Amino acid sequence: MSIIGACLSCVLLSSKDQLVPNVPDPKTPMPAAKDWKDPGYLKVIWIQSPNFDARAKGSVVDTIVLHSTAIGSLEKTTEVFQRTKTNPVSSHFTVGRDGSIVQNVSTFDRAWHAGAGHDSKGRTGPNHYSIGIEIVNMDDGHDPYTEAEIQAVCGLIAEMKRRFPIKQIVSHEYIAQPPGSKMDPASFPWNRLAYFGLPMYFGQNKS
Ligand SMILES: [Zn+2]
């Protein structure tokens, strides 16, 4: 099976996420990792994760949650998102070190990336109202985020702003409860996102 990466805007601006021919139906078997390659800088490939469900009725997607994978590669992270047995997790998007993007879950569905937590307003269940973006990084505070990763994250946020009434960007560390249970994305250069003009919450939320 060969899967060809599509351009960022083509995939993300398709009205139901399913108009792009190479987007698999969530019920079809997923390709093995050996059957796909990084699509390349600012290109998107869709490798559906089985780990998702519906957002709560009436949920408004208004939050971006940034993560780092603590896994060294896009391929390995994508593989982890295929696991359904122990600790099933997913994200809407994963950004590789070369700026490649894998979409794992439709933005209209709830990905399982943030777990228990609440935002600065005390709203719980962040997966219902957020888009999760994972960035490949060891999350040790030293591993640098590549320029390609930062550009891809910016591109995704810009596209999400067009699709949803995004009003804040938060770190997993900030939104996770109890405080200190997560620290990702450690040492992310948040100043690079300032031009979006959105409130950003990162570091530990002790409220
Ligand atoms: Zn995280």
Side-chain angles (χ1 to χ4, degrees):
M1 180 187 298
S2 87
I3 296 182
I4 302 155
C7 77
L8 184 60
S9 297
C10 302
V11 171
L12 300 173
L13 293 178
S14 60
S15 63
K16 297 269 309 173
D17 273 4
Q18 302 292 349
L19 299 182
V20 177
N22 60 341
V23 174
D25 183 283
K27 294 182 186 67
T28 58
M30 290 306 111
K34 65 179 173 51
D35 290 329
W36 64 275
K37 291 192 174 76
D38 286 5
Y41 179 61
L42 295 189
K43 291 206 169 68
V44 186
I45 193 171
W46 194 313
I47 306 291
Q48 178 72 41
S49 166
N51 303 325
F52 72 98
D53 54 11
R55 297 183 189 276
K57 211 167 185 319
S59 294
V60 175
V61 176
D62 60 16
T63 299
I64 303 278
V65 182
L66 294 187
H67 302 259
S68 54
T69 55
I71 296 171
S73 74
L74 185 60
E75 289 80 3
K76 186 70 186 167
T77 306
T78 305
E79 189 186 313
V80 167
F81 287 169
Q82 299 296 313
R83 295 178 188 166
T84 55
K85 299 249 160 42
T86 44
N87 191 26
V89 290
S90 65
S91 189
H92 291 98
F93 301 100
T94 308
V95 174
R97 292 184 193 273
D98 66 351
S100 292
I101 301 167
V102 172
Q103 180 156 10
N104 311 104
V105 171
S106 165
T107 57
F108 298 105
D109 290 321
R110 179 174 75 148
W112 301 346
H113 58 96
H118 64 75
D119 72 358
S120 64
K121 305 277 193 302
R123 294 186 304 163
T124 57
N127 286 340
H128 285 294
Y129 56 81
S130 68
I131 297 289
I133 301 175
E134 289 275 359
I135 310 162
V136 173
N137 183 277
M138 292 315 292
D139 198 43
D140 57 7
H142 302 292
D143 188 13
Y145 296 84
T146 67
E147 182 62 25
E149 283 180 319
I150 294 165
Q151 292 298 330
V153 168
C154 288
L156 281 170
I157 293 172
E159 295 293 345
M160 292 302 102
K161 279 187 72 189
R162 289 191 192 114
R163 174 172 285 187
F164 300 107
I166 301 295
K167 65 182 186 189
Q168 62 179 350
I169 308 172
V170 305
S171 68
H172 191 192
E173 179 183 18
Y174 182 87
I175 209 162
Q177 288 291 321
S181 59
K182 297 287 177 183
M183 57 176 286
D184 63 309
S187 301
F188 183 79
W190 288 86
N191 61 321
R192 298 292 304 277
L193 308 182
Y195 73 97
F196 285 114
L198 291 167
M200 298 193 288
Y201 298 92
F202 50 94
Q204 223 177 82
N205 176 10
K206 298 206 169 71
S207 65

